[in-house]
Amino acid sequence: KGVTIAKPIVYGNVARYFGHKRDDGHTHEWKIYLRFYNNEDPSGYIKKVHFKLHDSYPNSLRVCEEPPYEVDETGWGEFGVAIRIYFKDPNERPLNLFHVLKLFKIEPGAAPDGGPMPVFTDYLVSEFYDEIVFSDPSRTMLRLLKSAQQLPPSIATRSETDFEKKKSETLQSLISAKNRLGSEIDDL
Ligand SMILES: Cn1nnc2cc(CO)ccc21
């Protein structure tokens, strides 16, 4: 019968340049986050979320026991962050995601030697859309997955990228490309 439930997620980071280097060497404040699409409240089926920062951060393993699943920090460097999602159903293995913290844009060829130049833009977003797919979840897990409610829309939970707009634009470009290709084939 094979039941699969897909839960759309968005994860990534936003970053803002202070405008200068602070005495402690920090140049940016940033937030790394895991959000669920349509602002769904996953706390019914998610036990906790771990964010493993660079080892040189004090207590580099940050744990979120409830939503919002995010870490606010300041710093100067970009590095990989391991995100681990633990589910309430002990039969569901924890899920690992990986996100490279992005603080600056790279302007190719902007450096004096023609190489890439990191540019400190005021505000930057680096986020990705993905899905958690549950295959044949247990009866209890299935109930929890289906009963998830929506969270009250708060500023914090609004995703930075308008994925609905991106989705329709992508669909439109695919349709026009298909038509163009079709007419080219007709002209052959
Ligand atoms: C790698 N990185 N980038 N920014 C950082 C800040 C700290 C805390 O002072 C530790 C490590 C950091």
Side-chain angles (χ1 to χ4, degrees), residues 89-152:
D89 180 344
N91 304 313
E92 292 290 342
R93 305 272 305 147
L95 176 72
N96 297 316
L97 302 170
F98 190 75
H99 176 66
V100 178
L101 184 76
K102 191 171 170 67
L103 299 184
F104 13 87
K105 285 194 168 61
I106 297 292
E107 298 281 332
D113 63 352
M117 169 72 87
V119 173
F120 286 2
T121 45
D122 187 44
Y123 185 76
L124 176 142
V125 178
S126 170
E127 67 178 24
F128 299 88
Y129 171 96
D130 203 341
E131 293 178 341
I132 304 178
V133 180
F134 298 90
S135 303
D136 294 322
S138 68
R139 184 184 305 278
T140 45
M141 191 61 177
L142 187 60
R143 195 171 39 74
L144 290 171
L145 289 167
K146 285 190 176 302
S147 62
Q149 304 302 320
Q150 290 218 325
L151 281 167

Side-chain angles (χ1 to χ4, degrees), residues 26 54 56-58 74-77 79:
H26 292 198
H54 191 274
S56 52
Y57 268 93
T74 62
W76 39 264
F79 49 88

Side-chain angles (χ1 to χ4, degrees), residues 9 11 34 48-52 61 81-87 92-99 130-133:
I9 58 172
Y11 65 95
L34 165 69
K48 59 180 176 175
V49 177
H50 284 188
F51 293 89
K52 181 68 181 69
L61 177 62
V81 178
I83 303 172
R84 179 167 292 176
I85 306 173
Y86 291 83
F87 301 103
E92 292 290 342
R93 305 272 305 147
L95 176 72
N96 297 316
L97 302 170
F98 190 75
H99 176 66
D130 203 341
E131 293 178 341
I132 304 178
V133 180

